[in-house]
Amino acid sequence: MGTSTTTQDSTMSESPPPPTTFREGGYGWVCVACTFLMNAHTWGINAAYGVFLSYYLSSDIFPGTSSLEYAFVGGLSISCAMLIAPLATYLDKRISTRFVLNLGAVLETLSFIASSFAKKSWQLFLAQGACFGFGMGLCFCGSVGITSHWFEKKRSLVNGIGSAGSGIGGLIYSLAVGKMIPELGLPWSMRTLGIICFVVNIPCANLLRVPSQKRSATSVKAPTFPLSLFKRLDFALLLAWAFLSALAYVTLLFSLSSYCVAIGLTQQQGSLASALLSLGQAFGRPAVGLLSDHFGRIFISMIASFLAGLLSLVIWIFASSAGLTYFFAIIVGLFAGTLWASAAPPCRGDCGNSTSRDCAGGYLLRNEVGSSKPYLRVQLFAGFVYVGSAACLAWLLIEVRRKRRVARLETDKSDL
């Protein structure tokens, strides 16, 4: 009798606990706010590099540094942010998400402090390029998936809100940097940004967390990535779209402010153009995410990529006044960041393969200095690369529909 009772108690203790009812939102809204703020103080501040680039090109603060080398700094930051993803994932599993986020916040702060003391271009590469990129990547990889654990019905909405933080941050810090540099000087502008990043990102890093009932699931070892995917045409087309979209986006983002200076506008007007581009993204990214749920991610991404390219070719090339440039910045911002809004999770690992592609704008500009349209090659490059990325998705749509027709035919034959 005693043995039977003991066995029964042991069996009962080993049975799985009853499923916990999923509660939509709750503390999740705190995580949404923290993700929004972290995006504003990582990708948003990174978007202000166009203002820094404009200042570097118009001054002689680092003598002997070429436009290509300055463009390399911005490209290096984004490349490092993507390249750090495998390490960020490993640290997240082996240690904790909180460790990854705090490490990223500290590295980002150190990057600005170190940049404020830079005297040579290679020091700028290491500080504002590599160190900032690693910090930004750790913060992004650690925070990007957390809000999805707290929501089911409103998942697209909350991810859109979190992603919009980069647009709002870009709007604020493009204007702020354009104002701080002439009034505070470059060193104290850098230090101010570093202090702000630390004050905002550290609390957010410690407030972000996954729901308790899902923590055990996140600790399960992730499945091995199937290398056979690279043999599939549809996967190759998706990667090609991600690669080309990132290439065109970075070229546009880092060229717009310096373009304004090149056509005779002031540096503050250039920073305003960058801010308006970020404002467009603040509205465009959530809208693209929601539209993707209703009309399909591939279709909406294709339309947005094509429109970004068309606007670059039709409006940007002929924008020779402040008003038209501002209009272009807002309208293209609605579509330019489609990659991050609608398809960043499945293809973010492809965006950090090379630093050289992010410097393409600087290389093309270097070959056009002195011409009547010094940014023509940059504008054509961004426009046609966006159109090319849209063509990849058009091909992908055709391939997906072809596979669906084949599947239906096989189903009909099996029914016979």
Side-chain angles (χ1 to χ4, degrees), residues 88-107:
T89 303
Y90 176 81
L91 294 175
D92 184 276
K93 299 296 182 184
R94 299 289 294 182
I95 304 179
S96 68
T97 302
R98 183 170 295 178
F99 173 80
V100 172
L101 292 172
N102 280 280
L103 179 60
V106 170
L107 286 178

Side-chain angles (χ1 to χ4, degrees), residues 111-135:
S111 73
F112 282 116
I113 302 301
S115 297
S116 70
F117 294 101
K119 301 297 181 183
K120 297 182 180 180
S121 58
W122 67 267
Q123 296 170 344
L124 197 67
F125 298 157
L126 293 178
Q128 195 173 8
C131 187
F132 178 83
F134 288 141

Side-chain angles (χ1 to χ4, degrees), residues 15-23 152 212-214 216:
S15 61
T20 305
T21 304
F22 182 81
R23 182 186 176 190
E152 289 181 354
S212 57
Q213 66 267 30
K214 294 191 177 183
S216 58

